[in-house]
C-alpha cells in the first residue's frame, strides 16, 4: 500500500500525540463545558494548564498505554515469534506492574501471589515518575486486583468504560494486521468484559494499523467497520462510529457537536469523539486535540484517542512546540516508541 506510515516519526507521533491529548484534557476532565468556557474563554482550553500539580501532566491513560507497549515488547523478548493469541498474557503481566505503581498492592504481595520475579521487572517499573495515581479507573483497578485475567470468552465483568480502548493503540503497530482487531479486543477484555468495552479497542487498534500501512482515516474507518460487523454484539460500537462520521460530514465543527456524541466515559463514545475530532481536524493536530478535549466528559481519554490517531497520520513532527515543551515523561515516551518501532514487523 502506498505511503506507509511505519517510521519512527509515526510511531512516536502516535504515542506522543496521545500523551499530548491526555495532558491537554487532564485539567478539564471533571469540568462541564460551561465551566471550561468560563475558565478558558469561548475557544476552550488550548494550552497546558495545571493538573496533578503541574502543567503537561499525563494521566492513567498514557501510563497504561506505555505498559501495553512494554507487554508487547516483552512478549517478543521472552517468547520469540509468538502467535497473536499468546501475546495478551504478557500485557496482563505489564498491567499488574502498572497496578503496583498505583500503590494499591505491594511487590511482596504480587510475588507471593504470582510467584514470579517477572512481575516486578520491565523498564517502566523502575521509573519513579510512574508511581503516581492519575485518577485511575476503578474498573481497571478492581479487575486487576481480582487475580484473574479477563478474556472475551470468559468476561471478568460487564464494564464498557473507556479504560480498555484508551490503552491499546500500540497493538496497531506490533501485531500482524490480520490479528490486530482480535488481539486488541483480548487486551481490553483483560479488564473490560462488555462487548462495547473491548470492540471499541479492537476498532482503534485496527484503525492505527491501517493508517500505518498507508490508509487515510476515512478508508481505515470503513475497513474497520467491515471487521466489526463480523463480531457479535457490535451494534453499539457501530452506531457510535457511524454517528461520528455523520457529525463530521454535517458539522458545524464545535464543542456542542462533540457533546452530541456523548461524554466519552464509555468506550464507544470515547472512540466516537476521538474519531470525530481527528476527522474534523483536517490535518491540523492542534485543531483536532482541542476539539477532542473541550466537552463536559472524559476529556483526557478522548484527547488521547484523537491525539494518537492524528499523530499516527501526521507524525511526531506535526505536534506543535507548545505541546512538546513541558509534556511529562516526554523522554520516556520517546524511548518506548523507539523500542516498539525497533521490534515492529515490517517497519520502515
Ligand atoms: Mg485518565
Amino acid at each position: 500500500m502506498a505511503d506507509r506510515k511505519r517510521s519512527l516519526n509515526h510511531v512516536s507521533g502516535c504515542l506522543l500525540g496521545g500523551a499530548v491529548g491526555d495532558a491537554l484534557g487532564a485539567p478539564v476532565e471533571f469540568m462541564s463545558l460551561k465551566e471550561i468556557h468560563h475558565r478558558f474563554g469561548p475557544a476552550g482550553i488550548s494550552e497546558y494548564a495545571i493538573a496533578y500539580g503541574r502543567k503537561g501532566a499525563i494521566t492513567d491513560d498514557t501510563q497504561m498505554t506505555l505498559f501495553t507497549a512494554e507487554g508487547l515488547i516483552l512478549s517478543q523478548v521472552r517468547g520469540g515469534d509468538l502467535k497473536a493469541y499468546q501475546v495478551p498474557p504478557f500485557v496482563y503481566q505489564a498491567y499488574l506492574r502498572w497496578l503496583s505503581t498505583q500503590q494499591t498492592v505491594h511487590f511482596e504481595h504480587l510475588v507471593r501471589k504470582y510467584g514470579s520475579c517477572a512481575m516486578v521487572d520491565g523498564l517502566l517499573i523502575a521509573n519513579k515518575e510512574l508511581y503516581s495515581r492519575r485518577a485511575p479507573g476503578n474498573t481497571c483497578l478492581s479487575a486487576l486486583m481480582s487475580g484473574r485475567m479477563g478474556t472475551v470468552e470468559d468476561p471478568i465483568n460487564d464494564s464498557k468504560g473507556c479504560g480498555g480502548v484508551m490503552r491499546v493503540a500500540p497493538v496497531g503497530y506490533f501485531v500482524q494486521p490480520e490479528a490486530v482487531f482480535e488481539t486488541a479486543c483480548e487486551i481490553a477484555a483483560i479488564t473490560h468484559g462488555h462487548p462495547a468495552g473491548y470492540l471499541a479497542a479492537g476498532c482503534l487498534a485496527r484503525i492505527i494499523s491501517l493508517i500505518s500501512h498507508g490508509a487515510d482515516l476515512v478508508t481505515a474507518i470503513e475497513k474497520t467497520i467491515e471487521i466489526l460487523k463480523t463480531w457479535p454484539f457490535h451494534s453499539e460500537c457501530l452506531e457510535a462510529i457511524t454517528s461520528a462520521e455523520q457529525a463530521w460530514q454535517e458539522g458545524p465543527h464545535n464543542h456542542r457537536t462533540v457533546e452530541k456524541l456523548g461524554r466519552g466515559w464509555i468506550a464507544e463514545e470515547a472512540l466516537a469523539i476521538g474519531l470525530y475530532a481527528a476527522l474534523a481536524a483536517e490535518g491540523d493536530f492542534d485543531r483536532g486535540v482541542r476539539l477532542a478535549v473541550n466537552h463536559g466528559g472524559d476529556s483526557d481519554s478522548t484527547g488521547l484517542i484523537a491525539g494518537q490517531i492524528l499523530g499516527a497520520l501526521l507524525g511526531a513532527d506535526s505536534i506543535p512546540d507548545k505541546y512538546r515543551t513541558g509534556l511529562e515523561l516526554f523522554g520516556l515516551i520517546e524511548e518506548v516508541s523507539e523500542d516498539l518501532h525497533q521490534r515492529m514487523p515490517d517497519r520502515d
Side-chain angles (χ1 to χ4, degrees):
M1 205 182 282
D3 198 18
R4 284 153 39 106
K5 294 184 166 62
R6 296 179 73 72
S7 69
L8 177 57
N9 182 38
H10 290 97
V11 177
S12 65
C14 177
L15 266 58
L16 281 172
V20 165
D22 186 23
L24 186 65
V28 298
E29 181 180 5
F30 300 108
M31 282 188 197
S32 67
L33 187 53
K34 198 173 162 191
E35 286 166 330
I36 294 172
H37 285 160
H38 181 71
R39 173 144 174 229
F40 298 101
I45 190 168
S46 59
E47 54 188 50
Y48 293 146
I50 290 176
Y52 307 105
R54 59 163 291 165
K55 287 185 180 178
I58 56 89
T59 82
D60 59 323
D61 302 48
T62 296
Q63 291 173 343
M64 292 196 80
T65 302
L66 292 174
F67 278 94
T68 302
E70 181 172 275
L72 297 172
I73 292 163
L74 286 184
S75 75
Q76 203 184 69
V77 172
R78 300 258 168 74
D81 273 336
L82 296 176
K83 302 276 182 234
Y85 73 86
Q86 295 171 303
V87 168
F90 286 89
V91 179
Y92 173 58
Q93 300 273 313
Y95 292 158
L96 291 175
R97 292 195 292 277
W98 169 77
L99 179 67
S100 73
T101 67
Q102 303 298 290
Q103 298 170 337
T104 53
V105 288
H106 300 290
F107 288 132
E108 259 181 54
H109 168 70
L110 275 173
V111 175
R112 215 172 27 241
K113 192 165 171 95
Y114 298 97
S116 166
C117 63
M119 297 305 309
V120 291
D121 66 8
L123 164 82
L124 299 175
I125 202 150
N127 191 310
K128 68 174 194 279
E129 286 173 82
L130 285 167
Y131 287 72
S132 183
R133 283 176 77 103
R134 301 291 170 83
N138 284 330
T139 305
C140 286
L141 293 174
S142 60
L144 293 172
M145 279 191 284
S146 74
R148 185 166 80 82
M149 176 182 154
T151 64
V152 168
E153 191 65 30
D154 187 11
I156 191 143
N157 54 35
D158 194 33
S159 173
K160 59 169 176 168
C162 70
V165 64
M166 59 66 155
R167 62 181 195 234
V168 298
V171 179
Y173 289 112
F174 192 80
V175 179
Q176 294 293 349
E178 61 280 3
V180 163
F181 192 99
E182 183 174 358
T183 307
C185 285
E186 287 294 354
I187 286 173
I190 291 171
T191 56
H192 288 69
H194 189 288
Y198 57 76
L199 290 174
C203 289
L204 177 63
R206 176 73 177 151
I207 286 167
I208 298 287
S209 171
L210 286 160
I211 289 171
S212 80
H213 285 96
D216 61 54
L217 183 51
V218 173
T219 310
I221 294 171
E222 262 173 41
K223 288 182 174 250
T224 297
I225 285 176
E226 284 170 22
I227 298 185
L228 174 64
K229 282 179 171 170
T230 67
W231 281 63
F233 313 114
H234 63 258
S235 60
E236 287 151 295
C237 207
L238 179 61
E239 206 173 300
I241 296 173
T242 311
S243 304
E245 285 181 304
Q246 203 177 340
W248 167 58
Q249 281 154 0
E250 290 173 3
H253 301 315
N254 59 35
H255 307 164
R256 303 272 170 222
T257 302
V258 173
E259 292 207 333
K260 286 183 191 154
L261 297 169
R263 294 293 188 270
W265 301 111
I266 53 175
E268 72 270 30
E269 289 183 2
L271 177 66
I273 294 172
L275 283 176
Y276 163 73
L279 286 164
E282 287 168 11
D284 180 340
F285 181 91
D286 188 26
R287 178 180 154 93
V289 288
R290 282 191 282 120
L291 204 48
V293 302
N294 283 294
H295 58 83
D298 195 349
S299 300
D300 56 330
S301 299
T302 53
L304 169 120
I305 292 170
Q308 286 175 334
I309 295 169
L310 287 166
L313 277 166
L314 306 169
D317 47 21
S318 73
I319 300 172
D321 284 345
K322 69 170 179 176
Y323 293 134
R324 302 173 75 92
T325 310
L327 176 66
E328 187 180 22
L329 298 178
F330 186 98
L332 179 66
I333 297 165
E334 280 203 312
E335 206 178 321
V336 171
S337 303
E338 280 169 28
D339 283 352
L340 188 63
H341 179 253
Q342 199 60 39
R343 297 189 172 278
M344 251 166 60
D346 195 22
R347 65 183 187 274
D348 287 342

